[in-house]
Amino acid sequence: AGVTEGTKGGTINALTLSEQWQHVDPQRMYTGVDIAFFTGYTTRTLTQYKYAPGAEGTTIVPDMATDLGTASADAKTWSFTISDGVSFQDGTPVTCEDIKYGVSRTFATDIITDGPTYAISYLDIPKLEDGTSEYKGPFLAEGSIVAGFDKAVTCSEDNKTITFKLNRPVGDFNYAVTLPAFSPVPKAADTGEKYDDNYVATGPYKIQEYTKGQKMVLVRNENWDPASDDYHLAYPDQIVVSFAIDAAAIDQRLIADAGEDKTAVMVGQLQPENLATIFGTDDPRFKDRSVDGYDPYVRYTVINTQKVPNLKQRIAIAVAINRAEVIAARGGDFAGDIADGVIKPNLAADYAPSGMWTDMFGQAVPDTGDPEFAKK
């Protein structure tokens, strides 16, 4: 994070236990790993999160757009203008209509599954009696009412500016369009469900090969114009992702640091038994090759409120749990901190200490839990 210069050339070898990406289709991507990988290499969006550590990394910068968007006074209308030189991998310029078509795919919920549905919830499109949008996406020959979508998403005469009309004020809509679900798709190249196997790139790399269970190879997109893009750094010549690699083998290969593994990274995390080796010593072999930071996630206990409807009983369960043992089982000091809520400190704009383990319940609760206090 925060890297602004490097050396061009070479190959990054990414090793992962996963058999495949959950989704490659931009409108279907929704895991942090998929979004980070593809927006980093192949997929441009109107805006994007800044490459920077700490709180600065929760701010956004323009990507395809010339700026961070223009909102109406009531934040119910947002407009974005596309920068010159943005194109698909065949050299065709990206237009407003391409972004509008990409957004339209979100509404085809029978085909475009698993992706974020902010477009469906935010855009000012009439609803049917069952509460669903009257617009059902671009794949139905008949049965989808298009007029509402065409009013909610409009293009300027020069096809460079896209305007979204929302059904309520959304002050951070320019954060929503960082998602690949709002990225462009050329209608002529859309293969529907099969678009999840290969798609048309807009970023500095394109997919050369994607064999699920084996590997993905990204190579340079010769029609990417760096003059239109000061966001993507595009240093390696190619990125090779190897799937279905045993997690223990990934760790050992990276620790050994031999051959092509000298330019390898893991898509995932170290196994708990190897955390102390990498982070618990001052071994110079690992100092500049390891990153110790928060991931985006919080693990939490889910209690079935139908079976335990009494709030006091649910608090008692939380108070009684030996949280220190849970952390120890996951790798001890290297596994993370004990959370005090579902939002964590690296979401700097949204986090505030909750007091859950200090005074929320009337007294402090030790990391080891307090069964006697739970009984009360």
Side-chain angles (χ1 to χ4, degrees):
V3 174
T4 55
E5 59 182 63
T7 303
K8 286 197 171 184
T11 297
I12 289 180
N13 296 289
L15 311 177
T16 177
L17 174 66
S18 301
E19 296 277 340
Q20 62 182 71
W21 299 110
Q22 182 170 354
H23 288 295
V24 168
D25 185 323
Q27 273 70 42
R28 299 178 70 179
M29 289 180 198
Y30 208 7
T31 69
V33 172
D34 288 6
I35 291 172
F37 182 86
F38 288 103
T39 58
Y41 293 129
T42 60
T43 306
R44 297 189 66 182
T45 49
L46 289 167
T47 62
Q48 197 48 258
Y49 282 93
K50 187 174 184 179
Y51 282 121
E56 193 180 359
T58 66
T59 62
I60 56 172
V61 293
D63 184 356
M64 286 192 303
T66 56
D67 54 31
L68 296 181
T70 301
S72 60
D74 62 1
K76 291 177 70 174
T77 302
W78 282 83
S79 295
F80 302 86
T81 298
I82 304 167
S83 299
D84 294 334
V86 179
S87 69
F88 291 111
Q89 66 186 53
D90 65 356
T92 304
V94 170
T95 68
C96 168
E97 290 292 344
D98 297 314
I99 299 174
K100 178 176 179 178
Y101 181 75
V103 173
S104 79
R105 299 175 80 248
T106 299
F107 289 79
T109 54
D110 56 333
I111 296 173
I112 307 303
T113 58
D114 299 336
T117 57
Y118 292 109
I120 298 174
S121 61
Y122 285 163
L123 290 175
D124 189 16
I125 300 172
K127 298 283 196 294
L128 299 176
E129 287 186 6
D130 63 2
T132 63
S133 174
E134 69 174 16
Y135 180 58
K136 300 299 182 186
F139 303 122
L140 294 178
E142 55 186 51
S144 182
I145 302 170
V146 180
F149 179 77
D150 284 341
K151 286 183 180 179
V153 186
T154 57
C155 292
S156 60
E157 194 171 333
D158 64 0
N159 217 0
K160 294 279 286 183
T161 298
I162 188 166
T163 299
F164 300 94
K165 292 182 174 63
L166 311 180
N167 56 28
R168 59 186 181 275
V170 184
D172 59 354
F173 184 73
N174 52 357
Y175 278 75
V177 298
T178 63
L179 292 165
F182 289 89
S183 67
V185 173
K187 184 176 181 179
D190 190 3
T191 52
E193 195 166 6
K194 292 182 179 179
Y195 205 62
D196 210 21
D197 297 328
N198 198 348
Y199 73 99
V200 182
T202 50
Y205 300 91
K206 61 184 180 181
I207 299 172
Q208 182 183 72
E209 177 188 343
Y210 181 30
T211 305
K212 295 174 184 177
Q214 296 183 33
K215 69 178 179 177
M216 169 179 275
V217 179
L218 303 183
V219 295
R220 290 195 183 275
N221 171 11
E222 62 276 10
N223 284 310
W224 171 71
D225 180 5
S228 76
D229 187 354
D230 59 5
Y231 180 73
H232 295 91
L233 302 176
Y235 291 128
D237 288 331
Q238 64 177 1
I239 299 94
V240 178
V241 183
S242 297
F243 296 109
I245 308 295
D246 180 73
I250 293 174
D251 284 10
Q252 292 309 313
R253 285 174 59 175
L254 290 179
I255 288 170
D257 195 31
E260 66 177 21
D261 289 336
K262 284 184 173 293
T263 58
V265 295
M266 64 169 59
V267 182
Q269 298 175 332
L270 280 165
Q271 297 301 291
E273 61 268 24
N274 295 317
L275 288 167
T277 301
I278 306 303
F279 295 108
T281 68
D282 294 324
D283 193 324
R285 293 179 300 157
F286 308 128
K287 185 175 181 181
D288 296 327
R289 297 197 295 120
S290 56
V291 177
D292 181 13
Y294 281 125
D295 65 21
Y297 307 107
V298 174
R299 296 178 181 273
Y300 57 94
T301 304
V302 180
I303 301 175
N304 185 332
T305 57
Q306 300 299 310
K307 292 187 176 181
V308 190
N310 187 300
L311 174 60
K312 291 289 186 181
Q313 291 174 345
R314 298 199 298 269
I315 292 173
I317 293 171
V319 165
I321 290 173
N322 187 327
R323 305 186 305 287
E325 282 191 354
V326 175
I327 291 288
R330 295 204 57 80
D333 294 339
F334 311 105
D337 299 332
I338 294 174
D340 65 349
V342 295
I343 297 175
K344 64 198 301 180
N346 56 332
L347 295 175
D350 301 301
Y351 175 76
S354 71
M356 185 168 183
W357 308 119
T358 55
D359 56 18
M360 181 183 287
F361 306 131
Q363 69 181 59
V365 182
D367 293 349
T368 51
D370 190 338
E372 290 305 312
F373 182 42
K375 291 176 185 177
K376 296 179 185 177

